[in-house]
């Protein structure tokens, strides 16, 4: 044994805002945690030129100021409230393809958040009312 002791690792290796304050550059994992989006979404935004980053070896680093701006621009996205397509499929026996077609033809309003569609609660209720048939009891 060499007598060296390992320092305890932080769980998840995510830094709090106070620990990040001394850093000038953040990792993609830290940017994702800060902005509330997935790692893959941050990487995709870098690849598409939405977010500037430094590529050193196999790692990417984002300037702290750019990460804060990116985070603020994504704050509203995670707040979208409504149903996902899968949740509607649990309510109604409709296929995924049919629901996507309804969204694309604007018959079912939806907001795209990342790669996922969110159908606002009110829009779903309006969609259901539009498709309701009125059956008269007099024949």
């Amino acid at each position: 044994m060499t007598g060296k002791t390992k320092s305890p690792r932080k769980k998840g290796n995510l830094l709090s805002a106070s620990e990040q304050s001394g850093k000038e550059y953040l990792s993609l994992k830290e940017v994702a945690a800060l902005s509330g989006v997935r790692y893959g979404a941050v990487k995709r935004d870098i690849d598409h030129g939405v977010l500037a980053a430094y590529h050193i070896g196999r790692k990417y680093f984002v300037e702290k100021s750019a990460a804060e701006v990116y985070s603020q621009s994504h704050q509203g996205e995670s707040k979208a409230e409504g149903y996902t397509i899968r949740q509607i499929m649990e309510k109604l026996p409709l296929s995924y393809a049919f629901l996507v077609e309804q969204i694309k033809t604007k018959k079912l309003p939806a907001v795209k958040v990342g790669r996922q569609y969110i159908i606002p609660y009110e829009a779903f209720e309006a969609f259901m009312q539009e498709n309701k048939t009125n059956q008269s009891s007099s024949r």
Side-chain angles (χ1 to χ4, degrees):
M1 294 259 245
T2 60
K4 291 184 182 179
T5 59
K6 288 186 176 182
S7 60
R9 296 179 112 187
K10 293 181 184 181
K11 188 170 185 157
N13 200 22
L14 296 178
L15 303 175
S16 69
S18 62
E19 291 172 313
Q20 289 178 357
S21 62
K23 296 175 82 173
E24 290 183 43
Y25 300 94
L26 303 177
S27 69
L28 283 146
K29 189 173 185 180
E30 292 167 335
V31 173
L34 181 67
S35 59
V37 297
R38 293 179 186 238
Y39 176 92
V42 176
K43 175 72 169 74
R44 189 172 44 253
D45 285 343
I46 289 169
D47 291 342
H48 292 145
V50 175
L51 179 63
Y54 298 93
H55 189 198
I56 302 171
R58 296 174 75 188
K59 297 187 179 199
Y60 288 86
F61 299 97
V62 178
E63 288 184 32
K64 184 178 176 186
S65 59
E68 289 170 354
V69 170
Y70 180 79
S71 174
Q72 289 173 355
S73 71
H74 285 81
Q75 291 303 317
E77 287 185 10
S78 61
K79 306 246 188 272
E81 291 188 17
Y83 298 113
T84 63
I85 292 175
R86 298 275 181 211
Q87 290 171 327
I88 291 177
M89 288 172 59
E90 290 174 8
K91 292 176 164 288
L92 300 169
L94 297 173
S95 73
Y96 188 90
F98 177 79
L99 289 169
V100 169
E101 182 64 27
Q102 296 298 300
I103 291 168
K104 289 187 177 186
T105 59
K106 309 274 189 222
K107 293 177 183 173
L108 179 60
V111 177
K112 193 157 187 181
V113 179
R115 293 184 175 186
Q116 185 170 335
Y117 287 107
I118 302 293
I119 297 91
Y121 298 122
E122 304 82 29
F124 177 71
E125 293 303 320
F127 176 77
M128 293 301 289
Q129 289 302 316
E130 280 180 25
N131 292 294
K132 186 175 184 177
T133 59
N134 293 328
Q135 294 184 4
S136 61
S137 58
S138 61
R139 282 193 153 187

